[in-house]
Amino acid sequence: MKIDFNNVDLSNLNSYKEKSLDAFSSLINKDGEGNDFLGWIDRPNNLDMEEYERIKKASKKIQNNSDCLVTIGIGGSYLGTKAVDYAMKGYFPKNDKTELIYAGHQISGEYLHELLDYLKEKEFSINVISKSGTTTEPAIAFRFVKELLEEKYGKEEAKERIFVTTDRQKGALKDLANKEGYETFVVPDDIGGRFSVISAVGLLPLCVAGIDIDKFVAGFKKGIENYTVDSFEENKAIQYAAIRNMLNEDGKDLEVLVNYEPKLKYVSEWWKQLFAESEGKDGKGIFPISVNNTTDLHSVGQMIQEGKRNLFETVLKVESANKDLTIMEDEENLDGLNYLAGKKMSFVNEKAMEGTIIAHVKGNVPNILLTIDDVSAESLGELFYFFEIVVGVSGYMLGVNPFNQPGVEEYKSQMFKLLGKPGY
């Protein structure tokens, strides 16, 4: 993975060096706020190998008896999985692998109704992911999908198709799993949801989807090698965190993550949760948004080019396309594309990216270019770890606790009052 800061004015960066190194030290030494949720830092090197092997065994069982796995969870309990699954499975996947279907990430009755209709014709299993088992969105979905599963297979076989990822010892979902005999996996106590894709939260469904989780973990380990180095000059994650804070103090309080490969759409969604939930506190934070180019150049591209100058971009580039096409010459040339004859689509896409960067930089939009080798499990693992280190350092530099999310509870309280939940 490479990162290029050439399109950012770095003349003032040195003044952020000490602060960024102090923040990095607090993160790595686990002596800052939220330090009880830093298990993700060294988790790739300290996996519970007994559970890891059970993940692989359970995955084979699901693959053998199920057309699809309904993955029930919200926020960090599904976004990391969705990001890797969507990036890896192809745009028009063949039906030769177990399909991951997502539920419990919103409260749409129409979505759930259509999902239940779809599942009636499928062989399926469930992986419900919730630390407590009482989070509203996944709890509602689990109630409906479990009922259908038990109607379809009977309670005895259904329990062999339900896999629970929850607290190690306590909670409503853990109690239910113990009572019914469901196989359980652990949501670690020391890893917050938005960092949890490296645990059973992400590894079980990804393994079911046919993704090589050994390579995914290897990517995280590569991230440890590259981004836990205590050196401002050698560690690009520290530099990036420092640059983000420098730009923020210069009035750039909105960051746009840009991709030119639609497979990365949900990587952007995972990234948005990671940074928004980590930094958005105490009236602070850099607001994260994302665009999918070149599609969005024909919509919000106008705003980025000439709108309010309070933003900067991080462009996510893929070095090597897994598949490509060459544009051929057409005798009539009615579309005027013959000047592109002999060129690959990846080349045209890259020039669109480079041209857009030039245009946006001319429009006073600082630009950071982050290049991954390819869209693979290993590259995505390294990318995820890079962003996790960045958000920890950046959050501490902002002066917030990057590892809690107190504001998330307010909407729940107001919703429960309106619904008449006892105690509210």
Side-chain angles (χ1 to χ4, degrees), residues 338-358:
N338 276 357
Y339 77 100
L340 296 175
K343 294 180 172 62
K344 292 187 179 295
M345 284 191 66
S346 59
F347 175 82
V348 178
N349 199 30
E350 183 175 357
K351 296 310 156 187
M353 179 199 75
E354 292 172 0
T356 303
I357 290 173
I358 292 169

Side-chain angles (χ1 to χ4, degrees), residues 62-306:
I62 296 166
Q63 289 169 338
N64 288 336
N65 70 10
S66 299
D67 302 317
C68 51
L69 174 68
V70 184
T71 304
I72 300 174
I74 195 167
S77 294
Y78 98 100
L79 274 171
T81 302
K82 178 77 171 180
V84 180
D85 174 40
Y86 190 81
M88 295 285 295
K89 72 180 179 181
Y91 294 113
F92 307 100
K94 299 175 183 177
N95 294 323
D96 58 352
K97 292 182 179 179
T98 303
E99 178 187 11
L100 294 188
I101 297 177
Y102 300 89
H105 53 292
Q106 27 75 352
I107 318 178
S108 167
E110 185 168 353
Y111 178 94
L112 195 54
H113 192 287
E114 290 190 19
L115 171 60
L116 295 172
D117 284 344
Y118 180 78
L119 292 174
K120 288 174 184 177
E121 307 301 321
K122 299 287 184 178
E123 303 296 328
F124 72 98
S125 298
I126 299 171
N127 177 207
V128 56
I129 306 164
S130 175
K131 183 78 169 169
S132 65
T134 58
T135 303
T136 306
E137 294 90 341
I140 290 173
F142 183 48
R143 179 178 287 200
F144 279 100
V145 180
K146 180 168 73 76
E147 180 181 20
L148 176 62
L149 189 78
E150 290 177 345
E151 287 177 1
K152 186 178 181 74
Y153 297 105
K155 197 157 186 176
E156 283 304 306
E157 185 178 347
K159 76 178 183 181
E160 297 298 321
R161 291 174 173 268
I162 296 175
F163 301 84
V164 173
T165 308
T166 190
D167 190 90
R168 185 183 298 276
Q169 295 180 323
K170 63 184 186 300
L173 194 51
K174 179 63 175 175
D175 291 344
L176 177 66
N178 289 342
K179 176 185 174 184
E180 300 293 342
Y182 305 147
E183 183 168 5
T184 61
F185 299 90
V186 175
V187 178
D189 289 332
D190 59 351
I191 301 178
R194 55 193 178 274
F195 298 85
S196 66
V197 71
I198 190 59
S199 72
V201 170
L203 295 179
L204 174 58
L206 289 176
C207 193
V208 171
I211 290 162
D212 189 334
I213 60 173
D214 291 342
K215 290 183 178 178
F216 189 54
V217 172
F220 274 83
K221 290 180 178 180
K222 190 174 180 181
I224 291 176
E225 292 176 12
N226 292 333
Y227 310 119
T228 60
V229 178
D230 190 9
S231 166
F232 186 82
E233 289 71 25
E234 296 179 22
N235 192 329
K236 296 294 185 180
I238 301 176
Q239 292 176 31
Y240 182 33
I243 289 169
R244 294 180 79 251
N245 278 265
M246 178 187 73
L247 291 170
N248 184 42
E249 291 188 11
D250 192 38
K252 308 292 188 182
D253 57 6
L254 190 153
E255 180 175 11
V256 186
L257 186 68
V258 186
N259 74 71
Y260 285 80
E261 180 51 66
K263 283 184 176 182
L264 299 177
K265 174 181 177 180
Y266 283 96
V267 171
S268 297
E269 295 301 313
W270 170 84
W271 172 87
K272 283 193 287 191
Q273 187 208 7
L274 179 70
F275 279 84
E277 210 166 63
S278 297
E279 292 189 334
K281 294 148 198 172
D282 304 329
K284 302 175 182 178
I286 300 167
F287 195 94
I289 67 167
S290 63
V291 294
N292 304 294
N293 286 346
T294 60
T295 302
D296 287 338
L297 289 175
H298 298 261
S299 55
V300 297
Q302 173 66 38
M303 175 65 76
I304 295 171
Q305 185 69 47
E306 295 185 344

